[in-house]
Amino acid sequence: MTDAASLRDAPATRFATKQVQAAYVAGTPQNTAVPPLYQSAAYEFANLAEARDLFALRRAGNIYSRNASPTQQLLEERVAALEGGVSAVAVASGQAAVAVTILALAGRGGHVVAADRLYGGTVDLLQDTLDDFGITVTFVDQDDPAAWRAAATERTRLFFAESVANPLAQVLDIRTVADLAHEAGVPLVVDSTVGTPYLIRPGEHGADFVVHSATKYLSGHGTSLGGVAVDVGSFDFGADPERWPQFTVPAARFGPLSLWERFGQGFAFATLVKAKYVHDLGPSLSPFNAHQILQGIETLDLRVSRQSASAQAVAETLAGHPAIAAVHHPGLAGNPWHELAARYLPRGIPAVFSIDLVSTGDEAQDQDRVERFVDGLRVVRLVANIGDARSMVSHPASMTHSHLNAEQRAAAGIGATTIRLSIGIEDPADILADLEQSLDRMTTALRSELSRSGATAAL
């Protein structure tokens, strides 16, 4: 009988041992020219002393892919670099990135002041699920500085907004809101999924944390879910330690020193998120998805530049179409956020924006009009996503923002005839021709039906 120690030291000669261990030595370096995919659930330790130090957070390294993988860590460092940040945490989705960021900052019984123009899933999280954790939220008009200031209380732990809102592309005055957040003693968290780090870096305008749904523009190919939360490194939790006990008070699971003492500004947040919220709740990013997103990032500026230019051309043309009541694109003169776009987005306007079809004033007829237009598209696809290579369309009121009540949708500028577009990298002439043919066919069909019935309506 061979004991375990001698089996480890001896060459792998028996079949069952060979099929598991032959030809591989943990930690062997390779010289790949592109980032490798480390598709492993766990990692081998050199000895028990190393394992003990890693689990006690006394040493950095790989433990288990629920917390992180080498591929994920490279993604985190790359996105942090793109955003001008200090550290980052990558998780399973953009929704997870928002959730763990708010949980880490708000703590038990905290309060969030949030813009009322947000992605519908984020609103669901803020007004419903976080309430189960004792975290409350006040929604404010993001363009009203007085509303932000008035909403802050002693329990407030963060301000939250989107750099460019989904779906109407309202542009946030980041500097103003950041100053108001800091006046209240809390950080500003900005979801910049639509903005992308190529078009805008919120940290340069005062934001303290930036989150992304990496599923969208960072990935660019629509294959892989992922999210990233970036710590810009600008917020000092140690300046008011009693307000931030999760960072400044030692916790049994982290040892005798607080996270702030051990890891400091720019790193304590990432440590808390990974070691507590990702570790305990499990919204882990798979190494494969991290690798896919890394591949997408390599062409980010090329894709976003083309999409931005195509979207601008599409918006300018659609603005004159008789079947369209409004084009919500801040690159158009007359748009309420045109000046803010010029200030914050000099490289171009994001390719996610919305249009309003002309309303008949009748809900059923408007629904029919929307369905005819959406279902008549052939190049632009009906998909619940934004920011990948394909041009996509959705109907916010019945899809992404369907859980909002009528008052919330109205506050966000979303009506029954609002249609969101995400312009891809196809030939812009093909995208525009598809939109125009569907609008024209919709109008012609409705005119014919109304003519037969003797009715009239705005077309």
Side-chain angles (χ1 to χ4, degrees), residues 131-325:
D131 187 59
D132 296 339
F133 291 81
I135 298 171
T136 58
V137 60
T138 300
F139 292 100
V140 299
D141 180 348
Q142 71 178 40
D143 298 322
D144 184 355
W148 288 98
R149 180 179 284 113
T153 72
E154 288 298 316
R155 290 179 49 243
T156 302
R157 293 297 179 267
L158 67 136
F159 283 11
F160 184 90
E162 296 177 4
S163 59
V164 180
N166 173 7
L168 261 68
Q170 300 100 328
V171 180
L172 181 70
D173 188 346
I174 301 174
R175 173 53 63 185
T176 295
V177 178
D179 289 345
L180 291 166
H182 300 154
E183 178 185 304
V186 300
L188 171 62
V189 179
V190 172
D191 182 338
S192 201
T193 297
V194 173
T196 79
Y198 176 68
L199 296 179
I200 183 171
R201 301 208 296 183
E204 295 178 349
H205 306 288
D208 303 289
F209 296 89
V210 181
V211 295
H212 286 277
S213 173
T215 313
K216 313 301 193 297
Y217 284 106
L218 293 182
S219 169
H221 35 61
T223 65
S224 306
L225 293 177
V228 185
V230 178
D231 186 343
V232 176
S234 55
F235 194 80
D236 183 3
F237 294 105
D240 187 5
E242 293 184 0
R243 196 171 195 175
W244 310 100
Q246 66 269 48
F247 299 108
T248 61
V249 175
R253 70 193 294 169
F254 300 133
L257 297 178
S258 71
L259 293 176
W260 196 247
E261 291 173 301
R262 293 182 63 181
F263 299 101
Q265 192 162 332
F267 296 97
F269 167 81
T271 304
L272 177 65
V273 170
K274 284 190 176 184
K276 182 175 182 177
Y277 294 101
V278 176
H279 176 275
D280 293 2
L281 301 178
S284 309
L285 178 65
S286 76
F288 180 81
N289 281 18
H291 190 259
Q292 290 281 93
I293 295 165
L294 275 168
Q295 295 299 303
I297 287 175
E298 293 183 356
T299 59
L300 177 64
D301 67 330
L302 303 177
R303 288 183 285 105
V304 170
S305 295
R306 180 181 178 93
Q307 289 167 302
S308 175
S310 295
Q312 182 74 33
V314 168
E316 290 173 356
T317 301
L318 293 183
H321 198 286
I324 294 179

